[in-house]
Amino acid sequence: MEADDFALMVQVQGGSPGAFETLVERYQRRLYRLACGYLHNHEDALDAVQETLVKIYLARQTYRPSAHPFTWASRILANQCIDQIRHRRVRPEQSLEEAQERRPGHEPLPLLSSEEAAQARQERRELGRVLQGAIDTLPPRQREIFMLRHFGEMRLEEIAATLGCALGTVKSSLHRAAQSMRDHLGRTDPVFRAKEEEAS
Amino acid sequence: MSPRRPPRICRAARDRMTLLYYGALAAADKADLLRHFDSCRPCALEWSAISRCLDAVAPETVFPRETEVDWREFTRVVVARARAAKITGPGIAPASGWGRLSLAWAAAFPVPARFAALAAALLVAAFLWNGWLGRGGTSGGRPGSSDSGVEGQPLASLLESAHVMQDRLARRGAVRYLSDSRALLVNLVGPADPCRKGSGQYDMTLEKEKSRQLLRRKNLYEGGLGALQDQRLATLVRQLESVLMQVAALDDCASARQIHDLREQIETRQILLRIDLVTREMEGRTNVV
């Protein structure tokens, strides 16, 4: 995390030209990844990030520098995602892509051109799906800590501050999460298993 | 685990591997651990497996669609929205009165619809504002001039931005509509699931439901593709509508004949190919967020 985030937030509060744009540019991708972790849907994640950033702008005067700005932003995002999940429970929606992926015997067809690119994209998506599946198997607290570390790019101390838990809890959760991920990949991903066998 | 080394040392080493990976070990501990790996092959293998696994958890692998987003455009949209929200009233609504109404509004309409409504509200505001200025009214000042940005710009420019945003959103919605429709049609052209209720019939429940969803979504941006350069897109969207309406009108268990007719129509009109062409054209022309 950049050290001048605090200074940037002060500028945003003071209405300096371009300060809010810089904040958005700096945080949007990290927030998007966290949102994907919560919502598992690209479009929903983008919506959540937009809403979060708008809320940050509107509530900027309530920010207190006792917490890192990204820590504050990630809490707003988490609440936004929880709201969206609740809303989704009331009005369940499933994207077409998801529905078709889950339907047996209906593999998505590759694009008409560039078969190789489609193949590579498919493989990358497959690995991404396996990893996402592995992350989903983690208990909620471990998952949150793991996501904040990997996708929020937060230091362990910042994670502890964000979640209001001890640093030791963050360390032990990350340790258990890493072990679970490794076991899951070893069981489900043939490429990872092959590499392991090759190494031993 | 090495037979000459007490397992306790290896267990301790494995407990610290994650901390080593995350750079949370003191220098001395790190050096100890690396020395241990040099002399203990099972631990070294475990370390390499853990590192490989955690290295794989990279954002570009787990979230491959992140690269599809035009983040610069996304920033612009967010900033414009944030400032427009400040002008039109706080987005974080209080729990009563207008706040509750605003929450209900936000829950009832998806983001593109909210954008369209916001743009329409801005247009009305501009109309009233211009009429008022035309009558010579000058007092009252501008709303929120302390924060330099959109509030400080002339209203006409703000409205222009709202128009541009609305057009972009319409295109973005149309491109997504095309992509989802394509997936549906590909599904329709591919092997169908036999229907449980009758032999020789095929289960079209999913396709029907999705067609209805797509037709509902289409209504959200209908009328937003009037520009000359969007004509091809608008034509295709209209033709797709006719096919989707036919799919939506199918029975849950459709006959092979009905499906065959639909497939023939999709192939004759070359709809899949045209969707690909128009999508590529759109993605090349507009950086769709």
Side-chain angles (χ1 to χ4, degrees), chain A residues 3-49:
Chain A
D4 60 352
D5 281 7
F6 285 99
L8 179 62
M9 196 61 208
V10 170
Q11 288 176 358
V12 171
Q13 285 182 317
S16 297
F20 182 62
E21 284 90 330
T22 310
L23 187 89
V24 172
E25 279 168 7
R26 199 174 284 181
Y27 286 174
Q28 58 192 4
R29 284 178 170 237
R30 279 192 277 166
L31 290 175
Y32 164 79
R33 292 166 197 161
L34 292 180
C36 278
Y38 288 116
L39 300 168
H40 302 124
N41 180 293
H42 173 73
E43 314 295 346
D44 288 350
L46 286 176
D47 284 348
V49 175

Side-chain angles (χ1 to χ4, degrees), chain A residues 71-86:
Chain A
T71 304
W72 182 63
S74 63
R75 289 326 296 164
I76 297 177
L77 177 83
N79 291 332
Q80 174 64 34
C81 291
I82 290 166
D83 281 352
Q84 280 188 216
I85 290 166
R86 276 194 199 130

Side-chain angles (χ1 to χ4, degrees), chain A residues 15 17 28-29 33 36 43 50-51 57-58 94 96 100 103 106 109 112-113 128 131 150 175 182 199, chain B residues 14 18 22 41 46 56 59 61 63 66 71 75 81 91 114 147 176 180 186-187 191 193 207 210 276:
Chain A
Q28 58 192 4
R29 284 178 170 237
R33 292 166 197 161
C36 278
E43 314 295 346
Q50 266 201 32
E51 296 296 328
Y57 183 75
L58 294 175
Q94 191 183 27
L96 192 62
Q100 280 164 350
R103 195 176 179 194
H106 283 253
L109 294 183
L112 293 177
S113 64
L131 288 168
H150 279 263
H175 176 65
R182 179 206 183 298
Chain B
R14 287 173 191 205
T18 330
Y22 291 120
R41 185 168 157 74
E46 180 66 15
T61 314
F63 312 117
E66 183 183 330
W71 290 104
T75 305
R81 259 201 71 192
R114 274 182 252 163
D147 186 8
R176 254 190 233 154
D180 283 354
V186 164
N187 215 22
D193 290 339
E207 284 80 1
K210 289 297 162 190
D276 283 344

Side-chain angles (χ1 to χ4, degrees), chain B residues 61 97 201 235 254 259:
Chain B
T61 314
Q201 294 182 317
T235 310
I259 298 174

Side-chain angles (χ1 to χ4, degrees), chain A residues 12 14-21 24-25 28-29 32-34 36-37 42-43 46-47 49-51 53-60 87 91 94-97 99-100 103-113 124-125 127-129 131-132 135 146 149-151 153 156 171 174-176 178-179 181-182 185 192 195-196 199-200, chain B residues 14-16 18-19 21-22 24 41 45-46 48-50 52-54 56-69 71-72 74-75 77-79 81-83 85-86 89-92 107-108 111 114-115 146-148 151 172 176 180-184 186-187 190-193 203 206-207 210 213-214 272-273 276 280 289:
Chain A
V12 171
S16 297
F20 182 62
E21 284 90 330
V24 172
E25 279 168 7
Q28 58 192 4
R29 284 178 170 237
Y32 164 79
R33 292 166 197 161
L34 292 180
C36 278
H42 173 73
E43 314 295 346
L46 286 176
D47 284 348
V49 175
Q50 266 201 32
E51 296 296 328
L53 289 165
V54 171
K55 284 182 177 177
I56 287 172
Y57 183 75
L58 294 175
R60 62 196 187 282
H87 182 59
R91 292 171 54 190
Q94 191 183 27
S95 78
L96 192 62
E97 202 177 328
Q100 280 164 350
R103 195 176 179 194
H106 283 253
E107 290 300 315
L109 294 183
L111 286 175
L112 293 177
S113 64
R124 203 175 65 227
R125 277 195 180 167
L127 176 61
R129 217 170 284 150
L131 288 168
Q132 188 74 65
I135 294 169
F146 190 78
R149 177 64 192 86
H150 279 263
F151 310 131
E153 299 168 20
L156 308 195
K171 287 180 179 176
L174 277 175
H175 176 65
R176 285 195 209 105
Q179 288 296 336
M181 294 287 293
R182 179 206 183 298
L185 279 187
F192 185 81
K195 277 186 184 165
E196 242 186 356
S200 58
Chain B
R14 287 173 191 205
D15 283 347
R16 288 186 296 165
T18 330
L19 297 181
Y21 184 85
Y22 291 120
R41 185 168 157 74
L45 285 175
E46 180 66 15
S48 105
I50 285 273
R52 203 166 45 244
C53 165
L54 294 176
V57 190
E60 61 272 18
T61 314
V62 185
F63 312 117
R65 297 193 64 188
E66 183 183 330
T67 52
E68 293 171 17
V69 181
W71 290 104
R72 195 174 295 174
F74 187 86
T75 305
V77 171
V78 166
V79 171
R81 259 201 71 192
R83 287 180 175 150
K86 192 190 167 196
I92 304 171
V111 170
R114 274 182 252 163
F115 262 116
S146 64
D147 186 8
S148 65
E151 300 98 305
R172 173 187 161 188
R176 254 190 233 154
D180 283 354
S181 302
R182 182 187 188 279
L184 173 68
V186 164
N187 215 22
D193 290 339
D203 186 0
L206 178 74
E207 284 80 1
K210 289 297 162 190
Q213 276 181 22
L214 286 165
L272 290 174
L273 178 67
D276 283 344
R280 274 178 222 160
V289 177

Side-chain angles (χ1 to χ4, degrees), chain B residues 187-210:
Chain B
N187 215 22
L188 205 67
V189 171
D193 290 339
C195 193
R196 286 181 194 167
K197 290 178 190 166
S199 61
Q201 294 182 317
Y202 295 94
D203 186 0
M204 286 290 119
T205 327
L206 178 74
E207 284 80 1
K208 276 181 66 177
E209 182 50 34
K210 289 297 162 190

Side-chain angles (χ1 to χ4, degrees), chain B residues 241-284:
Chain B
E241 184 183 15
S242 123
V243 177
L244 292 178
M245 282 169 82
Q246 291 176 55
V247 178
L250 285 174
D251 293 329
D252 283 350
C253 286
S255 68
R257 179 79 229 166
Q258 283 175 308
I259 298 174
H260 173 78
D261 288 350
L262 270 171
R263 284 177 181 169
E264 205 170 58
Q265 209 179 126
I266 295 165
E267 279 162 23
T268 315
R269 292 189 185 179
Q270 295 188 304
I271 291 182
L272 290 174
L273 178 67
R274 286 170 57 216
I275 290 177
D276 283 344
L277 291 174
V278 172
T279 307
R280 274 178 222 160
E281 183 189 321
M282 292 304 295
E283 284 170 350

